Structures are given as C-alpha cells and as structure tokens.
Amino acid sequence: MYNKKITALIAICTTLYLCWMIYDASQSSNDHSLTYFNERKKFLKNIKITFRSQPKGSKVDKRYYENPQPYEYYFKNLINEPVLCSQYEQVFLLYIVRSIYGNLDRRKVLRKIFQDIPYDSFSKDIIIKHVFLFANTNNYTTESLIRKESRKYRDVIQEDFPESYGNVYLKTLIAWKWSVEFCANVEYVMVLNDELFVDQVKLVSFLHYDLSQADYDNHFALCYCLGGRESEHNKYKRFRDLGQKMLYQGKYYPKFCHGVGYVAHISVIRKLYLGSLQNKMLMPDDVWNGVLSEKLGISLNCRNDLFHTTRYYRPLLKTYLQSPILVSICDQFRPMPTAPCMQQMYDSIYILRNNNQVRYRFQQYKEQRVLSRDSDV
C-alpha cells in the first residue's frame, strides 16, 4: 500500500513537472517571439525609404508615381515559426516558397534540396532555412492536414486570407513581411514558387561572390527579367476574371523579376516591403515588383541565361560545370510532370557532384571565382 502511494506520488510529480516544462517552453518561445517582433516593428517604423521621381524612359504608367495608394492589411497569422531564424546569430539564406497543400510531392523534393547544405570554404558554419507559405483553404480537412504537416516539419507559415490565384500577390507581400519581421538576421532571401528547382550548392557560392561586390544590397542577386513591352495580361481570362481594379493599369510593363523565383539581399526585400505599404498592390504580382523596384531605384541584375526550362535538362547537365548556378523552371506545361522532373534533376546532379572528377573540377571553378573576386576588390 505504501509503495503504491509512493509510486502514485512520483507519477503525479512527474506529470506536473512535464506540464511545467511544456508550459515554460511555450511561454519562453512566445516571450522571445513577442520581444523580437516588437523590436522589429519599432525598427521598421523608423526606417525611411525614398521614392525617386519617374526616370526618363520609364514605361510605368504615371499614375503610379503621381497617385500612390497606401495599403492596409489585417490578416491573422494562423501558423507561424517565430523563432526559426532568431534562435541563430546569423542566417545566410532563407527560402520562402509559395505553395498550395496539394503540391506535397513538390515540397518533398524541395525539402531534400534545402537540407543539401554544402561543406566547403564558402559554406562553413552557415545556416540555411526555409518556410512554405500557405493561405487559408477554408476546408476543415485540408486545414487539419496543413497543421499536421506543420507539426511534423516546423516549416509552414499560414495567413488568414483565401487561397486563390487572385491572392498570389498577397503571398508575395507576406513573404517580404515575414522575412523582415521574423528573419531580419538573414543575408539573402529567395522567394519562389514550388515548381522551381534550384541547385543549392551552386547558389551558395554564387551568393558569397555577390556579397563581395559593391552595392549588393541595392540590386537583386538573381532575377529572370521580363517586361519592358506592351502589357498583355488582359488577353488572359484568369486575369480578366479578377476585375480591372486589381490589375496593372499601364499600357506598358516595366522591367520586372519573374515571380517564379528571385533572390535578393534582405535590405532589398525590406525596401520592397516598406515600399509596398505605400503603393497599392496589383496583379500580375511580378509586374508589381517591377513598379516598386523602379520607384525605389533597385537594379534587377538580369540573369536570364541562368534559368532553364525542364525540357532541356538532360543536355543542361552536361554543362553543369560551366554555369555558376543552376535553376530550372519545372512547371506542369512541360512534357514531364513537375515533381518527377524536379526529382530527376536532383538525382542526376547528386550523382554528378559525387563523381570525384566532377567534384575536383567544380572545386577548381570555385577557386577561380575567389581569385576573380579578390582581384576585383
């Protein structure tokens, strides 16, 4: 009897202790994130950004210079990872992936890519993080599955606006917002759709080289440029259905970074985010980043030669060593479905990287870039 009481008492004490530990951990995390968020909010409020006058030759409709419209949003955060970045002193690269729940197979490949951190002189001790960005599906079953995925991987961010094609620009806004509020200690941010394949090993060395160049915080590090021609979104039903109030009103597009994926220093992302609060958002969402970039004087740094479509991926692998970076647009309009294409790209490049001869030549290539960088300084 005495032993049973002791056993029961120990069980109760253990349960209370575990409950206290869980509560303390959750409170510490909340306190930490709240403090971090408040500090970021105060810092961002005091940052002043300057919009330039419309430059000569600009194709942006003048109303976006003469009559900018501030935008207020009050979205509730449904799922967050507030200490994903702030638990580290410095994060080198953050991926923010715009996704929908049905693209599980794409996220599976992307998670493998994001874990494939190179171990070399460029990458020693660097931290790379990623999140997948969702909107609200308003479907109980889907929402429960998103929460389950969040608990498993701790890499899901979700905001309370409807999941729809017309709200893609809101995902862009939240990507910028989350970066500057919850991952301000990052060097570079890559905003991308979940159909984009990127070779992380090459991207890291590419960004180290970019970081050594002058004015790296005032241009996109990697951008597939479009625009500079007559606007054409009204030709497509998916845009017409959104209504004219949501659409870009100019006759000509500015130059802009294709929304499928781009990389920029956190300073550039911060300027875009703060600029977006003073300028009405619009669709197509990538045209919007072009309008903001022109008004803020941000250089696009076009590198269209580094982006490839998936139908050419086999011959592309033959030139793997010659390209400083490898990014491939794996969308559903190509002959091969998106996720299998991404997986084959990943498998083929993994084999290449583990080939001793290829690895040696790749190391030589990176050393040449270092010498080139040092001679430019």
Side-chain angles (χ1 to χ4, degrees):
M1 186 70 177
Y2 180 78
N3 289 336
K4 288 184 178 180
K5 289 183 177 180
I6 294 295
T7 302
L9 182 61
I10 292 173
I12 292 171
C13 291
T14 302
T15 302
L16 290 173
Y17 177 77
L18 290 173
C19 290
W20 177 83
M21 288 288 288
I22 294 171
Y23 174 81
D24 182 65
S26 65
Q27 289 299 108
S28 298
S29 175
N30 290 337
D31 291 345
H32 178 86
S33 62
L34 183 62
T35 301
Y36 182 72
F37 177 80
N38 287 338
E39 289 176 353
R40 292 299 307 150
K41 194 172 181 180
K42 186 186 299 183
F43 174 72
L44 292 169
K45 188 176 181 180
N46 293 328
I47 292 180
K48 304 298 180 184
I49 56 172
T50 303
F51 295 105
R52 63 175 178 169
S53 302
Q54 189 163 14
K56 186 177 180 180
S58 167
K59 295 184 179 296
V60 175
D61 191 282
K62 63 181 181 180
R63 76 190 77 182
Y64 293 105
Y65 279 90
E66 297 174 354
N67 186 32
Q69 300 179 36
Y71 179 76
E72 294 288 338
Y73 57 90
Y74 303 96
F75 305 131
K76 178 183 177 183
N77 184 272
L78 300 178
I79 302 175
N80 196 12
E81 293 295 332
V83 298
L84 183 78
C85 294
S86 62
Q87 61 184 304
Y88 302 99
E89 182 177 348
Q90 185 75 53
V91 176
F92 181 71
L93 175 61
L94 169 69
Y95 296 96
I96 299 192
V97 187
R98 293 174 298 197
S99 189
I100 59 174
Y101 181 74
N103 293 343
L104 282 163
D105 49 357
R106 302 183 190 185
R107 291 195 295 279
K108 181 180 178 181
V109 181
L110 287 169
R111 285 186 174 106
K112 288 199 292 187
I113 292 172
F114 299 151
Q115 292 172 2
D116 192 14
I117 299 176
Y119 294 93
D120 54 28
S121 57
F122 286 95
S123 314
K124 186 179 180 181
D125 300 326
I126 66 169
I127 303 297
I128 297 176
K129 292 294 176 181
H130 71 274
V131 291
F132 292 97
L133 184 58
F134 295 89
N136 190 351
T137 66
N138 291 312
N139 179 287
Y140 177 81
T141 301
T142 304
E143 290 302 299
S144 64
L145 291 171
I146 291 174
R147 288 191 293 272
K148 182 179 179 181
E149 184 173 341
S150 170
R151 288 191 296 270
K152 181 176 181 179
Y153 295 105
R154 310 304 303 183
D155 61 2
V156 170
I157 305 297
Q158 187 184 34
E159 293 279 331
D160 193 15
F161 56 83
E163 184 74 80
S164 69
Y165 179 75
N167 283 337
V168 169
Y169 69 101
L170 292 178
K171 284 191 176 181
T172 301
L173 172 68
I174 298 304
W176 295 346
K177 177 180 182 287
W178 196 88
S179 300
V180 299
E181 289 187 347
F182 290 101
C183 200
N185 57 331
V186 70
E187 289 279 6
Y188 284 98
V189 177
M190 183 170 195
V191 180
L192 66 154
N193 293 342
D194 60 11
E195 70 265 24
L196 193 71
F197 174 91
V198 57
D199 179 9
Q200 179 163 272
V201 172
K202 285 204 166 194
L203 179 61
V204 167
S205 60
F206 179 85
L207 294 179
H208 274 293
Y209 180 79
D210 179 75
L211 196 60
S212 69
Q213 306 304 299
D215 208 26
Y216 60 82
D217 59 349
N218 205 37
H219 66 247
F220 283 86
L222 185 65
C223 173
Y224 185 91
C225 294
L226 293 174
R229 61 185 182 184
E230 191 170 347
S231 59
E232 56 183 16
H233 52 270
N234 281 308
K235 297 178 182 178
Y236 300 99
K237 186 177 184 300
R238 66 179 182 273
F239 288 112
R240 294 197 304 270
D241 288 346
L242 299 178
Q244 287 299 312
K245 288 185 178 181
M246 287 184 63
L247 299 179
Y248 177 70
Q249 300 298 309
K251 184 177 180 180
Y252 295 94
Y253 288 143
K255 269 198 167 184
F256 57 86
C257 283
H258 195 310
V260 70
Y262 51 81
V263 187
H265 189 269
I266 186 62
S267 297
V268 173
I269 298 296
R270 183 167 59 237
K271 291 174 187 175
L272 290 170
Y273 171 61
L274 294 175
S276 72
L277 300 183
Q278 300 181 42
N279 292 268
K280 182 181 178 180
M281 291 179 288
L282 52 89
M283 286 286 282
D285 66 301
D286 39 17
V287 174
W288 181 48
N289 78 52
V291 173
L292 291 176
S293 296
E294 182 179 294
K295 294 187 68 172
L296 293 164
I298 297 171
S299 172
L300 300 187
N301 190 25
C302 304
R303 296 305 305 268
N304 293 19
D305 58 311
L306 302 181
F307 288 77
H308 307 273
T309 55
T310 59
R311 68 173 66 178
Y312 303 119
Y313 89 95
R314 288 188 183 277
L316 174 64
L317 294 179
K318 297 178 181 178
T319 61
Y320 178 72
L321 295 172
Q322 281 70 49
S323 178
I325 194 169
L326 182 56
V327 179
S328 186
I329 303 171
C330 295
D331 59 38
Q332 63 269 33
F333 301 109
R334 301 300 172 189
M336 184 181 295
T338 302
C341 170
M342 295 172 71
Q343 183 64 57
Q344 285 198 23
M345 288 282 291
Y346 180 84
D347 292 342
S348 299
I349 291 173
Y350 183 83
I351 292 171
L352 271 177
R353 269 201 242 109
N354 283 277
N355 180 291
N356 289 332
Q357 185 179 0
V358 171
R359 188 163 58 238
Y360 173 72
R361 290 175 62 190
F362 186 39
Q363 185 61 36
Q364 280 186 318
Y365 165 78
K366 290 196 290 185
E367 289 172 357
Q368 289 171 1
R369 283 182 63 84
V370 172
L371 292 174
S372 174
R373 177 193 65 188
D374 293 342
S375 65
D376 291 339
V377 175

